[in-house]
Structures are given as C-alpha cells and as structure tokens.
Amino acid sequence: MVGAIKAVVTGATGLLGQALVKTLLAEGTEVHAIARPGSFRNRRLTGEPSVLVHEVDLSDLRSAVDKLPNDVDVFFHLAWAGTAPAWRNDARLQESNIACTLDAVELARAVGCRVFVGAGSQAEYGRVEGLVSPDAPCKPETAYGVAKLCAGQMSRLLCNEYDIRHSWARILSLYGPYDASTTMMSCLIATLLSGRAMELTRCE
C-alpha cells in the first residue's frame, strides 16, 4: 500500500458508504472507516485488508486522531444521526449533527487532508416544482433539511479557513443493497417483486 491514496470514511456501513468503500477499494485506495462502536453493521467491513475499521462514536470524532495516519488525502463525511422519518424534525438531534460535521473538518485537518467531502440532502431544497438544479433556492421544511444546509455552509467556511477543498454533494434519492426499505423506490421494488400493486400519488 506504499504510495496509495488514503481516505477516511464516516458512515461507511450505510447504503452510500458501502458503495463508496467498494469504489475506493477498486481504485486502490487505503480506506480508514470510522464506525459506531459495537454496531452489528461493522461486520460489513470485515474481510477487506485495505479497510481499517476504527470504532469511534460520532459525537467523539476528534478522538480518532490517534487512530489515523497523519497523511490522509481525502475525508468523506457521510455519517448522520437521525435520518429515519421519525427523527427528521427532532431539532436537538439534528442540531448535534452540525457540531459533528465541524468536528469531522477538524479531524480532517489534523490528519492532513487536502479534500473534505460531505453528504448533503435533497431536504435542503424543500419542495421544488419541476426539476431540481444546484441553483434552486434552498427552503428546507424539516429540522433535518435545515441542519444539512447549515452543516454544509458551516463546514465550507471552516474548510476555507484551513485551506481544505470542500465539496458538499446534495444527494437526492438512493436505493440498493443495505437499503433500510424506507425510500419510495425501495418500497416500490419490494412491493412489485412480491406481486402486489403499490398505491402512488402523482409523484410530483
């Protein structure tokens, strides 16, 4: 692995994280996955010699500095608490994610990262008529969307201060392996595969 690109990935056991880790490994990247201590999902990362798993709670991210090399190239921050619909308007829980995102930037700086990539959300836009574009105004309607928008903007300011390149990817919808079956697409696929019809709105 001498000379290999090194990446840190939080949220590496999730739907997006798993796909990212597989892509990074295919490109020869050395992956340092930060995972929740004791989570049953952590076994998804075993068996890959180029993945080093570091069990660190999201609220204590900066303590991971002693577990990581000091020459990491890129930091992918995908972890987020309270993504299920029942928690999307829990203002205190969502607020804690903003602090965790800023802690992720501090950790990225401490381990020498030149690039920070965060996972935003379509919830930052709120309801949009027609196609969504990156230039659409952001009018979030949930605590989750407000916190994602704030985390993206605040982490950008901090990265600029530390001369770290910042990228905030607003992800619209995902489905696939390890999906918790809470998205419209995953529910639709499961329903059709079972031979049942699914009631839908006009999907506007």
Side-chain angles (χ1 to χ4, degrees):
M1 294 302 294
V2 176
I5 296 293
K6 297 177 183 177
V8 172
V9 182
T10 70
T13 62
L15 173 60
L16 178 58
Q18 284 281 281
L20 175 61
V21 167
K22 288 180 180 179
T23 299
L24 292 173
L25 292 177
E27 295 175 350
T29 303
E30 178 183 314
V31 177
H32 292 263
I34 295 181
R36 187 168 56 229
S39 173
F40 73 93
R41 291 181 174 184
N42 294 349
R43 63 175 179 264
R44 296 175 180 175
L45 302 171
T46 59
E48 291 286 355
S50 295
V51 178
L52 291 85
V53 180
H54 310 284
E55 295 196 356
V56 179
D57 193 82
L58 186 58
S59 63
D60 194 29
L61 268 182
R62 286 199 271 184
S63 70
V65 66
D66 296 328
K67 303 175 184 288
L68 300 172
N70 61 7
D71 59 347
V72 176
D73 298 285
V74 58
F75 195 110
F76 294 94
H77 182 53
L78 311 181
W80 193 271
T83 58
W87 299 323
R88 297 234 172 134
N89 272 317
D90 185 330
R92 291 295 185 189
L93 175 59
Q94 297 303 334
E95 180 189 33
S96 70
N97 286 300
I98 301 169
C100 292
T101 300
L102 296 180
D103 285 345
V105 175
E106 296 286 0
L107 178 58
R109 181 196 188 199
V111 297
C113 286
R114 302 188 300 265
V115 180
F116 180 89
V117 180
S121 170
Q122 64 185 22
E124 295 175 58
Y125 292 114
R127 277 179 269 194
V128 178
E129 294 292 334
L131 296 177
V132 179
S133 74
D135 299 325
C138 291
K139 297 179 181 179
E141 298 180 350
T142 63
Y144 171 79
V146 170
K148 280 284 191 181
L149 179 61
C150 184
Q153 293 175 335
M154 295 290 278
S155 60
R156 179 175 289 108
L157 289 174
L158 197 55
C159 282
N160 288 344
E161 180 181 336
Y162 294 155
D163 197 28
I164 297 172
R165 194 174 72 187
H166 179 275
S167 180
W168 190 256
R170 289 191 180 130
I171 301 161
L172 272 69
S173 291
L174 296 174
Y175 64 95
Y178 304 114
D179 192 347
S181 297
T182 58
T183 64
M184 183 183 73
M185 285 302 300
S186 61
C187 289
L188 175 62
I189 291 170
T191 301
L192 295 178
L193 287 175
S194 70
R196 294 177 290 125
M198 182 167 174
E199 292 186 10
L200 296 169
T201 67
R202 293 176 65 185
C203 299
E204 295 176 334

